[in-house]
Amino acid sequence: MFLVFYDSYSTKANTSNTYCGLFKRIPKCNNEIKIIKRDWFDFLSFRKRLKTGDNYIDKHISIYSELNAIDSSIINSKTIREFVDINNKILALELTTRCESMSIVPELHGKDLIALKTNAWILENDLLMMFIEKGSHLLEKTK
């Protein structure tokens, strides 16, 4: 498990990338997914959102995927409840999988990963400790 703070400041528009996240290697990534907390304006999105058939999951999160496949080791009611709980305290949180990642961390570069990250740095000590504790627990449950 890796905790990464990253900021690639650039003067060009839309080329900066800032995040804070937990990253874990996974044995095999068959599908890149992105899970975010569902918001009222998600109905404006033109991206195809996957539905699971689970009312709680479909009501609280949006799932985007290259394929129309749902990985049950990641997307299940218990995992999603934990994700939503963390997201209630840390905004703009996403749970993603990456196949053959282009990571800045040499040990993770080219590896399959699962990540829990936000688009800002978490600097408040109590919030960071909660993120590490609950986020690590969430990622450890994935296969």
Side-chain angles (χ1 to χ4, degrees), residues 14-31:
N14 299 318
T15 59
S16 291
N17 189 8
T18 302
Y19 63 84
C20 170
L22 291 167
F23 296 81
K24 177 187 163 203
R25 286 178 60 180
I26 54 176
K28 182 78 174 138
C29 176
N30 297 319
N31 183 21

Side-chain angles (χ1 to χ4, degrees), residues 19-104:
Y19 63 84
C20 170
L22 291 167
F23 296 81
K24 177 187 163 203
R25 286 178 60 180
I26 54 176
K28 182 78 174 138
C29 176
N30 297 319
N31 183 21
E32 291 195 359
I33 61 168
K34 179 178 180 178
I35 300 171
I36 58 174
K37 187 174 178 187
R38 192 144 190 247
D39 214 333
W40 66 269
F41 55 82
D42 282 350
F43 70 92
L44 298 174
S45 175
F46 292 106
R47 293 179 67 188
K48 186 173 183 218
R49 183 176 159 253
L50 289 179
K51 292 199 177 187
T52 64
D54 180 307
N55 288 335
Y56 180 83
I57 292 173
D58 293 338
K59 180 179 177 184
H60 288 88
I61 65 164
S62 292
I63 304 168
Y64 302 103
S65 173
E66 293 178 332
L67 307 173
N68 286 332
I70 295 176
D71 186 343
S72 62
S73 70
I74 297 170
I75 303 168
N76 59 63
S77 284
K78 187 169 176 141
T79 302
I80 297 306
R81 286 179 195 280
E82 289 182 35
F83 173 77
V84 170
D85 181 49
I86 298 168
N87 203 319
N88 286 334
K89 296 169 183 72
I90 299 172
L91 300 179
L93 196 66
E94 66 181 48
L95 181 63
T96 61
T97 58
R98 294 283 177 233
C99 302
E100 298 179 8
S101 170
M102 298 284 290
S103 177
I104 61 162

